[in-house]
Amino acid sequence: MDHNKLAELLFPQVTKTPADYDAMYPARDLPAGAMVTRLGPSPTGFIHLGNLYGAFVDERLAHQSGGVFYLRIEDTDDKRFVEGAVDIIINSLRFFGIDFDEGAGLCGDTGAYGSYTQSQRGEIYQCFAKKLVAEGKAYPCFLSEEEIAEIRAGQEAAKANPGIYGDYARSRELSFDEIKERLERGDSYVVRLRSSGNPEQSGDDVRKIHVRDAVRGVLEMPENFQDVVILKATGIPTYHFAHVVDDHLMRTTHVVRGAEWLPSLPIHVELFEKLGWEPPVYCHTAQLMKLDEDGNKRKLSKRKDPELSLDYYRNQGYHPAAVREYLLTILNSNFEEWRMEHPDASIDEFAFTTEKMSNSGALFDLNKLNDISKDVLLRISAADLYDFLKAWAEEFKPDILHIFENREYLEKILDLGRGDSKPRKDFIYAQQMVEFISYFFDDLFKMEDTMPAEVPAEDIPVILQKYLETYDHTDDQSQWFDKIRNLATELGYAAKPKDFKKHPEEYKGHVGHVSTVIRIALMGRAQSPDVWEIQQILGEEKTRERIANYK
């Protein structure tokens, strides 16, 4: 067959050549070793932890090497397109500190390798599909959906590999005249890769490909023998074809993607070979897993696990620095050791490597994220915490914006206990922070705990009344507590908890129980930072008012 003639028949509208596009998108002028990475999400409106996980790897590899990290919107599946999804992707990732050097943006493309939206690159894909047809490496396939369903049913019955290949590829050997006749008849067709793989091979005779994966080392896999679709009947490319063309023209050096793409790797390797291009370095990351109720690992699920969505972390108000820090602990096995050696260093100073990435399931643990968040927030100043908390409240909890009216007051609250020799680690995320400090604000104050059982009900008003009688706001912490100790012994409570423990029959309780009565009246809870410090922030008037108003 004259394949050039067939290519012109199928693509008469394509006038540019592959050489034209290679000239339009030349090799990038970057330092030796610089990596070019990309994030290629589908605009479905759902941006999840896996996207952030992969984007973080992309961003670290590119920026640590002096390279380029770009955003490409892979919207060839128009059934999944959601209006406004691109803005959601960009804004969500930007919140977590992921910024792109070039690519699709809120106000259009930035960079010389666009368009960065696949649905706008149709002519480019058709040009390279035409090239493959002209070289006899692709062909039009006229199989109808009914015929494909019939083939699939036969393959299932015969326990054969599913797909279009070998004898199942009924359009593979059509003559030029037969193809022309089908086209003139208006028959619908797709363009399929003419695979060089042999579907008849089995066992030890199966030819293998060897691909070096930056995370998993050298992979040995059976070669592709499927005649996969590269252009749909609409002329839109499949993911397989589009990403190969785009990664070449955009000069991508490293492709970071999940392990679920490993079965497709032989197809992509063959497409790069057929097009005469060097494939990028693939980095197949471990899937995000979690422990189920029985202690078994399973994939994070969109349906079962709200923490898979990035919206979860934004709604709760996790600080982006905490999420980034946590992700590094599951991305690189040596990060936690590095952090212990460099407790105050920026994570940008950490040398991220693909060699230290796990190639089995990466275990996601929300409790560990919370623990890391406590440490990260401790390193953030009260002024910066104020700004972060206010920005979160403006978007997610506008009904508490009044607590930001007095910046000095709120910063004192946020700094409470954080400068001690053993600093408090009370804060985890914004929603929890607001609940934790709520007792400082009358409209948020609520009685959460009951008075200690060791204190008889009739003693409570007596304790509070005597406390007010002796209270002096200018007392230092030692003077203040001496008065509580005296009050406790006067009412029959042990001056020290250990005295009560040794001789419980001699006392009603101990000084700790008495101070808990004061704490609960003042804050509505039995556990809190230091009461004396809290009173200094509340001020004398508010302190006396709270104690006097307890019922």
Side-chain angles (χ1 to χ4, degrees):
M1 180 190 296
D2 186 338
H3 294 295
N4 279 310
K5 188 176 177 184
L6 176 59
E8 288 300 329
L9 179 66
L10 294 176
F11 301 100
Q13 78 284 8
V14 174
T15 56
K16 283 192 173 70
T17 67
D20 292 330
Y21 286 113
D22 272 324
M24 287 171 62
Y25 304 110
R28 294 174 181 268
D29 183 16
L30 293 171
M35 301 182 191
V36 179
T37 62
R38 48 77 168 171
L39 187 69
S42 298
T44 62
F46 181 71
I47 182 84
H48 56 77
L49 194 65
N51 297 130
L52 180 61
Y53 179 76
F56 200 14
V57 179
D58 284 317
E59 186 267 339
R60 289 289 77 205
L61 293 178
H63 291 163
Q64 286 188 170
S65 64
V68 173
F69 173 41
Y70 70 91
L71 175 65
R72 185 171 73 217
I73 302 302
E74 300 189 343
D75 60 345
T76 55
D77 186 352
D78 54 4
K79 293 177 184 174
R80 301 177 68 205
F81 179 80
V82 173
E83 195 67 42
V86 176
D87 290 2
I88 292 171
I89 291 167
I90 293 170
N91 288 328
S92 296
L93 292 174
R94 182 175 290 169
F95 177 82
F96 290 100
I98 301 295
D99 289 308
F100 300 94
D101 302 306
E102 65 180 51
L106 298 175
C107 301
D109 287 354
T110 301
Y113 290 79
S115 170
Y116 296 89
T117 301
Q118 287 186 333
S119 61
Q120 297 173 15
R121 296 172 63 84
E123 291 181 8
I124 299 175
Y125 307 126
Q126 290 178 12
C127 171
F128 288 97
K130 181 177 183 178
K131 165 187 164 69
L132 291 179
V133 171
E135 294 173 353
K137 298 172 182 174
Y139 64 92
C141 172
F142 295 92
L143 286 172
S144 65
E145 289 184 14
E146 293 76 19
E147 288 173 308
I148 291 175
E150 175 194 320
I151 288 171
R152 188 177 295 119
Q155 288 169 335
E156 287 177 4
K159 292 184 168 54
N161 288 318
I164 303 302
Y165 58 87
D167 292 339
Y168 300 112
R170 298 171 188 169
S171 297
R172 208 178 206 250
E173 303 306 331
L174 291 177
S175 68
F176 178 84
D177 288 338
E178 288 174 311
I179 292 171
K180 185 178 180 185
E181 181 184 341
R182 299 289 297 265
L183 292 175
E184 288 173 349
R185 217 161 56 207
D187 290 356
S188 177
Y189 69 93
V190 298
V191 178
R192 290 186 183 272
L193 175 71
R194 188 187 298 273
S195 175
S196 301
N198 185 351
E200 304 301 324
Q201 293 177 340
S202 61
D204 294 338
D205 294 330
V206 175
R207 290 203 299 261
K208 303 287 180 61
I209 62 168
H210 296 84
V211 181
R212 183 188 169 277
D213 185 286
V215 176
R216 299 163 186 273
V218 176
L219 301 173
E220 181 182 85
M221 307 176 78
E223 69 175 351
N224 173 58
F225 60 81
Q226 298 271 358
D227 286 4
V228 295
V229 176
I230 59 174
L231 283 186
K232 304 172 193 176
T234 55
I236 295 172
T238 58
Y239 168 79
H240 299 308
F241 190 54
H243 102 270
V244 166
V245 172
D246 289 343
D247 283 339
H248 167 71
L249 291 179
M250 295 178 183
R251 309 300 171 174
T252 311
T253 65
H254 290 68
V255 169
V256 178
R257 61 187 187 184
E260 65 271 18
W261 287 105
L262 278 168
S264 301
L265 188 57
I267 296 171
H268 303 155
V269 168
E270 184 173 11
L271 280 167
F272 273 105
E273 289 176 350
K274 287 271 194 291
L275 288 161
W277 299 330
E278 186 73 25
V281 176
Y282 283 98
C283 313
H284 288 92
T285 60
Q287 291 181 316
L288 286 174
M289 314 286 281
K290 73 177 291 185
L291 293 178
D292 63 16
E293 298 76 13
D294 301 319
N296 299 315
K297 283 185 179 181
R298 65 166 176 81
K299 277 180 62 178
L300 278 172
S301 159
K302 181 178 176 180
R303 184 170 55 86
K304 296 179 181 177
D305 305 308
E307 67 268 33
L308 181 60
S309 170
L310 287 192
D311 282 347
Y312 173 84
Y313 304 95
R314 296 194 66 189
N315 291 339
Q316 293 290 92
Y318 279 89
H319 197 286
V323 177
R324 285 166 64 88
E325 181 114 357
Y326 174 66
L327 285 178
L328 270 179
T329 69
I330 56 177
L331 281 169
N332 262 196
S333 58
N334 60 328
F335 175 74
E336 289 180 87
E337 181 182 345
W338 176 87
R339 173 52 81 199
M340 284 189 282
E341 294 172 358
H342 306 86
D344 300 317
S346 164
I347 59 171
D348 291 342
E349 296 175 30
F350 173 69
F352 179 86
T353 61
T354 55
E355 289 79 12
K356 293 291 184 180
M357 291 180 69
S358 168
N359 56 21
S360 59
L363 191 61
F364 179 80
D365 182 348
L366 196 58
N367 291 328
K368 187 171 181 181
L369 167 60
N370 289 342
D371 287 340
I372 286 173
S373 187
K374 291 178 183 179
D375 289 326
V376 170
L377 293 185
L378 190 60
R379 297 196 294 268
I380 297 173
S381 70
D384 287 344
L385 279 182
Y386 172 97
D387 292 337
F388 166 72
L389 196 60
K390 185 179 181 185
W392 172 82
E394 285 171 344
E395 185 171 359
F396 297 104
K397 205 170 179 65
D399 58 310
I400 63 156
L401 284 174
H402 63 281
I403 75 172
F404 300 95
E405 290 171 1
N406 186 335
R407 184 179 185 117
E408 182 182 4
Y409 180 64
L410 185 50
E411 284 189 17
K412 284 181 182 178
I413 295 169
L414 295 174
D415 232 8
L416 184 59
R418 298 192 336 140
D420 299 346
S421 56
K422 288 187 176 179
R424 295 184 62 93
K425 299 178 182 179
D426 294 316
F427 298 146
I428 305 172
Y429 50 85
Q431 180 69 49
Q432 176 269 340
M433 290 168 69
V434 170
E435 291 169 2
F436 189 85
I437 66 174
S438 60
Y439 56 82
F440 280 100
F441 304 93
D442 288 344
D443 63 315
L444 302 180
F445 177 87
K446 56 187 175 184
M447 195 59 60
E448 295 183 2
D449 292 320
T450 56
M451 289 295 181
E454 294 81 0
V455 179
E458 61 270 18
D459 276 10
I460 293 171
V462 177
I463 290 170
L464 296 178
Q465 180 60 38
K466 287 185 175 293
Y467 179 70
L468 285 178
E469 289 171 2
T470 62
Y471 182 77
D472 185 339
H473 197 67
T474 64
D475 283 345
D476 63 24
Q477 195 162 24
S478 177
Q479 294 169 321
W480 166 79
F481 194 69
D482 283 344
K483 288 181 178 179
I484 294 179
R485 188 179 285 115
N486 293 336
L487 188 159
T489 55
E490 180 187 333
L491 294 175
Y493 295 84
K496 297 177 181 178
K498 64 180 181 180
D499 295 340
F500 175 68
K501 191 172 183 181
K502 284 182 182 178
H503 304 288
E505 71 282 356
E506 296 181 10
Y507 305 100
K508 295 178 181 178
H510 59 71
V511 66
H513 298 131
V514 173
S515 65
T516 298
V517 169
I518 297 165
R519 188 188 301 267
I520 290 175
L522 194 66
M523 288 161 283
R525 59 187 73 172
Q527 300 292 326
S528 74
D530 182 79
V531 176
W532 180 83
E533 290 189 56
I534 290 170
Q535 292 175 152
Q536 295 304 304
I537 295 173
L538 280 172
E540 181 172 6
E541 182 181 348
K542 182 61 65 180
T543 297
R544 288 185 173 278
E545 181 184 314
R546 284 274 177 89
I547 298 294
N549 288 343
Y550 176 79
K551 292 185 176 62

